[in-house]
Amino acid sequence: MHYKKTLLILVFISFLFNCKNEEKTTSEVLIIPQPQQQTLGEGSFLLNNSTGIDYDDTFKVSAEFFKSYIEEGSDIKLEGSNKISFIKDETLSDEGYSLEILPKHINIKAKTDQGAFYAVQSLRQLLPPEFENGTFQGNDIAIPCTTIKDEPQFAYRGMHLDVGRHMFSVDFIKKYIDALAMLKMNTFHWHLTEDQGWRIEIKKYPKLQEVAAYRNETLIDHYNTQPQQFDGEKYGGYYTQEDIKDVVAYAQSRFVTVIPEIELPGHSQAAIAAYPELGCTGEQVEVATKWGIFEDIYCPKEETFTFLEDVLDEVMALFPSKYIHIGGDEAPKTRWKNCDHCQALIKKEGLKDEHELQSYFISRIEKYLNSKGRQIIGWDEILEGGLAPNATVMSWRGFNGAIEAAKQHHDVILTPGSHCYFDHYQSENKDEPLAIGGFTPLERVYDFDPIPEELTQEEAQYVLGAQGNVWTEYMKTSQKVEYMVFPRILALSEVIWTYPKERNYKEFVSRVEHFHKRLDALNINYANHLYEIEGKMVANNNQPAYALETVSKGKAIRYTLDSSEPNINSNIYKDPIPITKSVFIKAGVFNTKEQLGSTFSQDINLHKALGKSITINKALNKSYPGSGAEGLVNGISGSNTRYGDKEWLGFSGEDLEITIDLGEKTDINSIETRFHNGNGQWIYAPKEMTVIFDNEADKQHINIPTSKENLVNVAINAKVSSKTITLKIPNYGIIKEGKQGAGNKAWTFIDEIIVN
Ligand code: ACM
Ligand code: ZN
C-alpha cells in the first residue's frame, strides 16, 4: 500500500514537471528526425571554455566532428574540465545512442562511433544555428538539460542524386552528404550513368570520358510541349577517380555509405554512343539530348559482359559499399526483339521471352558481383522475368514491387514515386519553378509508411528502409536541387528514423519552421510552403461550404470572395464559407502586420452534381486517392499541372464505372469532365466514354480522339431528365513500345464531373 501511494505521488510530481517541461520541449528541444524518447530535466549545461571533451579511439570520428563543429562555429575551445564524455555502451543497438545533458556534464553513450555521431547530430540541433556558419558571438551557450534515448526504425536511410541529366560540383556533393548526415541518413545513392551522360571516369574505356560524358544540347521545357526546344549548348563532364575517392572518404567520415549506380541494360545510350558495338545494331547513336526512354540498350553479347565487368572492376575499386546498384529499369525490348544474337541467346538458354533475357542479363552481372563479395540492388523491373537470386529490389513504381519481392523473401528498399520522388512538384502554387510533373507535397512525404500493409510481420522484415529520389532533368543548378530536396528530406528523414507512434505532422511542421534558421545558416535554398493555405469542401448542415486551413500556428487567414487580393483588413476566416453560388475565393496567411507566403486562390463552380452521392466501382488507388470519390463532385477542378493533387483521382489500368445519384429527377443539359494525358508519366486519356441515364434510350457514347495535349476535355450535351448518371470509362490499355511505361497498362486520371 505504502509503495503504491509513493508511486502515485511520484506520478503526480512527474505530471507537474511534465506540464512545465512541455512548454520547454516545444520552445527549445526541437530535433529532426524526432528522437524516439526525449525527456526534459531541470536547468541547463553551460558550454564554454570550461568545457572539455573526453573520448577514446572508438569514438574518434564523432568526437572530432563535434570538436571541429564547436571550434569552427564559435570562439569556444573545448579544453576545460566540464566534460562531454563519449562512453561505450554495448547494450545499445549499432546506430543507437543515448544523450544525457546534465548541469555539469554531458554523457554520450553508444555502442559504435556511428551511434555517437548521431548523438552529436542531436546535440548540434540544440545549439544556435550560428554555429553552422561560424558566426556565433558569445562565450557561453546554455543547453537545456535533456535525456534522449534514440535509435533508427530502419537500417537503410537513403537519398539518391541523378548526376546524368545534370551534374554538380564535388563541393555540392559533399554539402549534400553533410545534410544527409545531419539528418541521420546513412546512404547516398549516386546515379552515375544515364542516356544523357556518363559521369564516372573509367580508365580502361577512354571514350566514356571523351564521348559518353558530353551531349550536344539539352531539351528545354516539358517533353510534351511542342515543338520541342533545345538550348543548343554542349553539356557534360565527369567525376575523375580522384574526385570519387575524395567523395567516398568524405562520406565515410560522416557514416554515409555511397552506393554507385551503373545502369544496365537500359539507360545506356551514352555508353553505346561511345562504343556502338555494345548495342544490338552496332550503329552510331548520339548521347541523348532529351529526356525519356531510349531503345538502344546493351546487347547481351560476350563483349558487352567483358565491358561491364571491366567497368564494375574499376567501380568496385573505388566504392567499398556492400551494394552496387545496377539499374534495371525502363529497358525497352525493341532492339532485343529484332536482334539475331539476342534471339539466338533466348533459344540457347531456353528463355521464354525478352523479359527472361533481361533476367538472364541481370543474373549474370549479379553472379559476377557476388563472386567479388558484393550484392546488387536493382529497380523493381528486375522482378520481371524472375529475380536474380540475391538481389535487393528498389520499389519505385508504387508499392507492388516491394510487396512481391518481400513475399519472395528478397530485401527491398521503398522509393515509391507517390511519396519519395523529390523531382515532383511540392506545391499547387502557380509560381513554382518548372518540375517534371507529379505532386508530392511535404505532408504526403510525411504520411509515407515504408512498410506496405499487405505484408505480414515476417515479410516486413525484408523492408530495409526507404530513400528519396532526385532526378535532375529539370534541376540545372545545385540551388534548384536544394529547393526540390528541402524541406521534403526533413520529412523523409523522420519517416525512416522515427517510429510512427512518435510522429505528428502538425508538430513536425513547427520543428520545420524552427529549422529554417539552421538551413539559412547552412546556405541551403529550401522551399517554404508552410504559409500556404489548403482548402476543402465540407458539408455544413447539408449545405456545401468551403474550409480553409494552414499548417503554421498562431497566424490568421484572411480572405475575399470578389477576386480582390486579400489584405490586412480583409475578413478573418473562422468557419467554413457557405457556397450558395459559384465563387472565386482568395486568401492569405497573415501575422499582425503583413501577409506571409503567397496568395491562395480557388474557383468553386456550383453545378447540379455538387455534393451529391457518388460511387466508383473500383477501390481508390493508394498512391492517388485524391480527396475520395466525393472530390469528383465537389465543385473544384484539379490543377492543370499537378495531376497528383487532391482533386484528381488516379487509377492504374482499371475500367471505371462512376455513378452519381442526384437524389431526384433532374433536368440535365450537359456533362463535362477532363482527363490527364501525361504520357511521360504513363497517364493516358481513355479512348471512349459512355454515359448512361435512368432511361436506357438516353444513353450516349463518345469516342475520344488521341491527343498530344496534357489535358483532354470531354463534354456531352444532353436533354434528359434523370436521377442517376453513370459514366463508363474503359482504361486506355497497354502502353505502346517506345513510350515510357511500355508494356504496362496506362493510368487513368479523372477530374471533376460537372453537371449542368
Ligand atoms: C526510375 O525512376 N526510372 C527508377
Ligand atoms: Zn542484341
Side-chain angles (χ1 to χ4, degrees):
M1 281 307 278
H2 181 73
Y3 167 77
K4 252 196 183 153
K5 220 175 188 171
T6 318
L7 198 67
L8 262 180
I9 290 167
L10 273 177
V11 167
F12 183 62
I13 290 173
S14 85
F15 173 69
L16 281 180
F17 272 100
N18 275 333
C19 291
K20 201 168 152 209
N21 291 346
E22 195 62 22
E23 213 177 85
K24 247 186 167 179
T25 310
T26 49
S27 65
E28 287 174 285
V29 178
L30 302 174
I31 297 171
I32 297 176
Q34 175 70 33
Q36 313 295 1
Q37 279 181 42
Q38 174 181 311
T39 352
L40 256 126
E42 282 289 290
S44 52
F45 176 92
L46 220 49
L47 184 92
N48 53 29
N49 281 332
S50 308
T51 308
I53 181 167
D54 192 16
Y55 65 97
D56 65 22
D57 257 8
T58 314
F59 300 111
K60 195 168 155 44
V61 175
S62 49
E64 285 176 5
F65 179 96
F66 183 67
K67 193 165 156 60
S68 353
Y69 181 78
I70 297 299
E71 295 185 350
E72 286 165 24
S74 67
D75 293 330
I76 297 170
K77 294 277 166 280
L78 292 180
E79 284 157 11
S81 58
N82 289 347
K83 290 298 183 202
I84 298 179
S85 306
F86 287 73
I87 302 159
K88 189 154 175 96
D89 184 342
E90 295 282 357
T91 66
L92 295 169
S93 57
D94 283 352
E95 294 184 288
Y97 68 90
S98 77
L99 170 64
E100 267 178 297
I101 302 167
L102 303 163
K104 287 282 172 238
H105 48 264
I106 293 179
N107 293 328
I108 288 173
K109 292 185 186 156
K111 181 171 162 187
T112 65
D113 207 358
Q114 186 171 3
F117 184 79
Y118 296 142
V120 166
Q121 299 312 315
S122 290
L123 184 53
R124 165 186 187 176
Q125 290 190 34
L126 304 182
L127 297 172
E130 290 79 10
F131 274 83
E132 301 293 350
N133 58 4
T135 58
F136 180 74
Q137 303 283 328
N139 305 318
D140 291 299
I141 171 76
I143 310 173
C145 287
T146 312
T147 304
I148 292 173
K149 270 202 83 168
D150 205 7
E151 64 177 6
Q153 184 188 3
F154 292 104
Y156 185 105
R157 304 181 302 280
M159 280 297 294
H160 149 287
L161 184 66
D162 162 22
V163 294
R165 275 56 177 259
H166 286 106
M167 82 178 279
F168 310 95
S169 69
V170 167
D171 280 348
F172 178 71
I173 303 288
K174 289 181 178 174
K175 186 180 180 188
Y176 195 74
I177 288 168
D178 276 335
L180 266 65
M182 172 173 68
L183 298 167
K184 306 186 175 92
M185 294 173 120
N186 60 8
T187 308
F188 170 46
H189 169 177
W190 204 357
H191 184 82
L192 285 163
T193 70
E194 258 308 333
D195 299 303
Q196 297 84 6
W198 180 284
R199 304 276 175 244
I200 169 173
E201 180 187 24
I202 300 295
K203 298 204 191 263
K204 194 157 185 182
Y205 295 96
K207 282 202 225 158
L208 291 175
Q209 286 69 255
E210 290 153 21
V211 178
Y214 297 91
R215 59 178 179 257
N216 286 332
E217 55 183 356
T218 302
L219 177 73
I220 320 173
D221 213 330
H222 274 130
Y223 193 87
N224 284 0
T225 307
Q226 299 290 339
Q228 288 184 331
Q229 288 195 35
F230 295 85
D231 65 4
E233 289 170 28
K234 187 169 169 163
Y235 182 92
Y238 59 92
Y239 300 99
T240 64
Q241 296 205 348
E242 288 311 306
D243 289 338
I244 287 170
K245 284 181 204 159
D246 183 22
V247 166
V248 168
Y250 188 85
Q252 263 171 349
S253 71
R254 279 147 182 75
F255 300 97
V256 171
T257 301
V258 187
I259 297 181
E261 179 177 355
I262 305 297
E263 275 264 23
L264 56 92
H267 287 293
S268 49
Q269 189 167 310
I272 296 169
Y275 297 100
E277 60 273 25
L278 301 174
C280 286
T281 65
E283 279 165 28
Q284 182 66 56
V285 292
E286 63 163 15
V287 178
T289 56
K290 52 178 138 177
W291 321 127
I293 294 184
F294 298 86
E295 291 185 344
D296 288 288
I297 67 172
Y298 293 125
C299 177
K301 50 194 169 192
E302 285 314 307
E303 62 185 305
T304 304
F305 287 111
T306 305
F307 166 82
L308 289 170
E309 288 173 11
D310 289 343
V311 166
L312 290 167
D313 283 346
E314 293 193 33
V315 167
M316 283 185 281
L318 294 166
F319 295 92
S321 57
K322 167 178 160 191
Y323 295 109
I324 306 288
H325 200 304
I326 51 76
D329 60 324
E330 300 181 322
K333 306 299 184 291
T334 329
R335 293 284 182 266
W336 289 2
K337 281 188 180 140
N338 298 307
C339 168
D340 291 344
H341 170 80
C342 289
Q343 292 306 312
L345 186 58
I346 287 175
K347 271 218 181 80
K348 176 170 162 247
E349 295 292 331
L351 305 172
K352 201 169 84 209
D353 56 13
E354 290 74 21
H355 291 295
E356 289 199 357
L357 183 57
Q358 162 141 342
S359 173
Y360 165 88
F361 196 124
I362 305 271
S363 297
R364 237 185 105 155
I365 295 293
E366 177 182 72
K367 213 166 171 180
Y368 184 73
L369 290 170
N370 285 171
S371 77
K372 309 280 176 185
R374 307 299 181 100
Q375 300 282 319
I376 67 162
I377 302 179
W379 299 110
D380 58 41
E381 285 93 331
I382 66 169
L383 281 151
E384 295 161 7
L387 261 185
N390 306 311
T392 295
V393 173
M394 203 166 251
S395 185
W396 71 281
R397 297 175 300 174
F399 295 79
N400 287 344
I403 296 165
E404 225 182 289
K407 287 194 182 296
Q408 293 181 37
H409 295 184
H410 279 252
D411 285 342
V412 297
I413 296 156
L414 276 287
T415 68
S418 53
H419 297 78
C420 294
Y421 269 43
F422 296 169
D423 56 341
H424 289 174
Y425 283 105
Q426 54 191 316
S427 158
E428 294 182 54
N429 192 321
K430 308 194 174 38
D431 300 329
E432 275 298 282
L434 184 70
I436 197 157
F439 183 56
T440 305
L442 186 64
E443 188 167 7
R444 179 157 316 151
V445 180
Y446 198 81
D447 283 346
F448 174 45
D449 182 352
I451 299 182
E453 60 199 15
E454 290 84 349
L455 297 183
T456 64
Q457 227 175 0
E458 199 265 324
E459 289 159 352
Q461 303 299 314
Y462 293 96
V463 176
L464 301 182
Q467 170 178 291
N469 287 346
V470 184
W471 304 100
T472 58
E473 284 94 335
Y474 296 95
M475 298 179 214
K476 221 174 157 166
T477 64
S478 57
Q479 285 83 357
K480 181 83 179 275
V481 172
E482 291 174 1
Y483 186 87
M484 299 305 281
V485 167
F486 292 87
R488 289 185 282 195
I489 187 177
L490 303 178
L492 183 68
S493 77
E494 192 149 310
V495 162
I496 47 193
W497 179 277
T498 312
Y499 288 103
K501 68 178 177 23
E502 303 299 329
R503 299 204 299 257
N504 174 300
Y505 183 65
K506 287 226 159 91
E507 190 273 324
F508 166 74
V509 164
S510 45
R511 279 180 289 123
V512 173
E513 208 169 354
H514 173 80
F515 210 87
H516 281 170
K517 288 201 193 71
R518 193 165 303 275
L519 295 176
D520 285 331
L522 287 164
N523 192 25
I524 288 174
N525 179 38
Y526 58 92
N528 179 1
H529 299 296
L530 297 185
Y531 307 128
E532 287 184 356
I533 289 173
E534 276 218 52
K536 67 168 181 234
M537 289 300 291
V538 292
N540 216 353
N541 299 324
N542 280 332
Q543 273 306 114
Y546 196 67
L548 299 172
E549 200 184 5
T550 178
V551 289
S552 63
K553 286 191 199 144
K555 321 268 184 330
I557 294 177
R558 294 178 184 270
Y559 72 98
T560 64
L561 296 177
D562 59 1
S563 48
S564 64
E565 281 300 307
N567 61 40
I568 193 79
N569 299 315
S570 303
N571 281 336
I572 291 192
Y573 172 83
K574 289 194 193 75
D575 297 310
I577 304 159
I579 303 301
T580 51
K581 57 181 193 326
S582 295
V583 287
F584 191 57
I585 296 178
K586 284 191 162 189
V589 173
F590 288 76
N591 62 16
T592 53
K593 291 195 206 81
E594 60 185 350
Q595 185 174 353
L596 309 165
S598 53
T599 300
F600 165 88
S601 57
Q602 183 64 63
D603 236 333
I604 299 176
N605 175 2
L606 183 60
H607 61 81
K608 288 177 178 166
L610 198 158
K612 301 298 188 226
S613 145
I614 178 167
T615 51
I616 304 179
N617 66 332
K618 293 284 166 6
L620 297 176
N621 188 284
K622 200 158 109 180
S623 296
Y624 299 102
S627 45
E630 296 72 25
L632 297 184
V633 286
N634 64 356
I636 301 172
S637 293
S639 144
N640 289 349
T641 50
R642 325 292 204 256
Y643 64 84
D645 79 3
K646 61 187 188 308
E647 301 303 333
W648 285 97
L649 283 190
F651 295 89
S652 177
E654 293 173 315
D655 298 332
L656 302 178
E657 203 171 305
I658 302 175
T659 301
I660 301 168
D661 186 341
L662 299 170
E664 57 190 352
K665 277 235 184 273
T666 305
D667 290 334
I668 296 166
N669 300 307
S670 68
I671 297 169
E672 295 162 61
T673 187
R674 58 179 191 167
F675 297 97
H676 199 276
N677 192 43
N679 298 170
Q681 270 101 21
W682 313 19
I683 303 168
Y684 284 75
K687 293 174 182 155
E688 57 178 310
M689 180 170 98
T690 306
V691 184
I692 301 161
F693 301 97
D694 293 354
N695 186 348
E696 172 69 24
D698 293 330
K699 176 161 109 179
Q700 291 204 30
H701 176 92
I702 49 168
N703 289 314
I704 304 169
T706 309
S707 171
K708 280 204 150 89
E709 300 296 322
N710 263 319
L711 294 166
V712 173
N713 292 295
V714 178
I716 64 155
N717 290 313
K719 269 276 170 282
V720 300
S721 180
S722 189
K723 177 171 172 290
T724 63
I725 304 168
T726 298
L727 273 55
K728 283 188 143 180
I729 305 164
N731 180 257
Y732 170 86
I734 304 287
I735 299 171
K736 296 196 181 74
E737 274 302 326
K739 303 281 187 190
Q740 266 147 319
N744 295 282
K745 276 197 160 183
W747 283 79
T748 307
F749 271 75
I750 183 168
D751 194 3
E752 182 79 1
I753 301 167
I754 301 166
V755 179
N756 276 310

